Amino acid sequence: MSRTRPLLIAGAALAIGGLLWAERRRPLRERTLPQWPRLATNLLLGASCALVIRAVETPLVGRIAATNEAKTRGIMHLLPRRLRFAGGLLAMDYAYYWWHVATHKVPFLWRFHRVHHLDRDLDSSTAIRFHALDMLVSLPFRLVQTRLVGVDPATHRAWQDFFFASVLFHHSNLRLPHGWDRALSHLLTTPKMHGIHHSAVLSEQDSNWTSGFSLWDRLHGTFRDDVPQGAITIGLDDARSLDDLDPVDLVRAPFRPLPQR
Ligand SMILES: [Zn+2]
């Protein structure tokens, strides 16, 4: 671990604490569920994901990134040296745009991603609410993404930090000062953008797929900012969405017949 890493972790802890505090002071959408049971569910799911990531993904991805550096292989290494870092980040982010589309459109992947969308409120705790097996299901994508882009360990770490910060931020229920959300949405994914993606209305859900730079949605015509946050029902309206609420139901959910949408 580098000497700056503990500082980064302390900074991240402060930022997360600040975000949790701010989204309660300046909520963007009204809550529909009691806060604490839902928070406990999301923390439980998030902790189980963290275990899988640490045990399986981190060592495998780390090995691929180290080999990328040693063999100077992958898309990133086709670029001039000074463009490699930015190019690597952009390519990782673009790959993730398509992966997110796939998690909605491929029924097997949707079984798992559905657990994330079943949350009927949206705040920064939703950012860690995934089925633990989703981490294994998405592992082949993450390995291929890392190998094809060719990120070295430092670029990969920067990508992970950026990705995690972005995911926490755009899931948050934070009402930014007037005009900020729209201005930021020219570059990044904002809470309003991602709120539309978490709408129970399918045509609204099929938008704002990006997890980092908003460029990809603007490029593919999937960017939306035309739905007022007060008009959004967060969650899903499929046949079982109101039953799959507690942690046990959520863990079982991917193994039941997929409800029609
Ligand atoms: Zn989604």
Side-chain angles (χ1 to χ4, degrees), residues 120-159:
R120 285 164 59 208
D121 281 320
L122 184 63
D123 64 19
S124 50
S125 77
T126 316
I128 57 166
R129 174 203 169 100
F130 288 89
H131 197 287
L133 289 183
D134 200 355
M135 301 303 106
L136 287 182
V137 167
S138 63
L139 184 64
F141 160 75
R142 289 172 199 267
L143 299 183
V144 170
Q145 176 197 30
T146 308
R147 169 64 186 86
L148 286 184
V149 177
V151 279
D152 53 57
T155 310
H156 189 259
R157 231 174 357 253
W159 147 255

Side-chain angles (χ1 to χ4, degrees), residues 115-259:
V115 170
H116 175 65
H117 276 268
L118 276 168
D119 203 347
R120 285 164 59 208
D121 281 320
L122 184 63
D123 64 19
S124 50
S125 77
T126 316
I128 57 166
R129 174 203 169 100
F130 288 89
H131 197 287
L133 289 183
D134 200 355
M135 301 303 106
L136 287 182
V137 167
S138 63
L139 184 64
F141 160 75
R142 289 172 199 267
L143 299 183
V144 170
Q145 176 197 30
T146 308
R147 169 64 186 86
L148 286 184
V149 177
V151 279
D152 53 57
T155 310
H156 189 259
R157 231 174 357 253
W159 147 255
Q160 278 186 315
D161 291 344
F162 165 69
F163 182 79
F164 187 59
S166 174
V167 165
L168 269 180
F169 171 65
H170 66 242
H171 281 94
S172 77
N173 192 26
L174 178 60
R175 184 165 45 84
L176 295 170
H178 183 69
W180 283 33
D181 202 293
R182 173 160 286 190
L184 258 181
S185 75
H186 286 95
L187 180 65
L188 297 169
T189 316
T190 64
K192 281 188 180 174
M193 277 177 70
H194 207 65
I196 297 174
H197 175 68
H198 273 260
S199 165
V201 177
L202 200 54
S203 60
E204 293 168 6
Q205 208 180 94
D206 283 349
S207 71
N208 298 342
W209 301 104
T210 183
S211 297
F213 300 109
S214 57
L215 169 69
W216 319 123
D217 279 303
R218 291 181 180 274
L219 207 62
H220 293 292
T222 49
F223 175 84
R224 281 190 74 167
D225 65 351
D226 58 336
V227 189
Q229 297 294 305
I232 298 173
T233 302
I234 298 289
L236 298 175
D237 69 352
D238 68 31
R240 249 196 5 253
S241 61
L242 295 180
D243 301 331
D244 290 340
L245 279 181
D246 70 49
V248 177
D249 284 325
L250 286 169
V251 168
R252 285 189 190 146
F255 307 102
R256 298 209 190 102
L258 202 53

Side-chain angles (χ1 to χ4, degrees), residues 16-31:
I16 292 169
L19 191 60
L20 288 170
W21 175 78
E23 69 181 347
R24 276 156 185 79
R25 291 240 355 174
R26 293 177 58 89
L28 182 59
R29 297 163 293 262
E30 276 181 41
R31 293 183 179 279

Side-chain angles (χ1 to χ4, degrees), residues 104-115:
H104 280 252
K105 299 302 172 191
V106 177
F108 175 73
L109 299 179
W110 174 243
R111 283 176 178 275
F112 295 92
H113 190 57
R114 179 175 171 273
V115 170

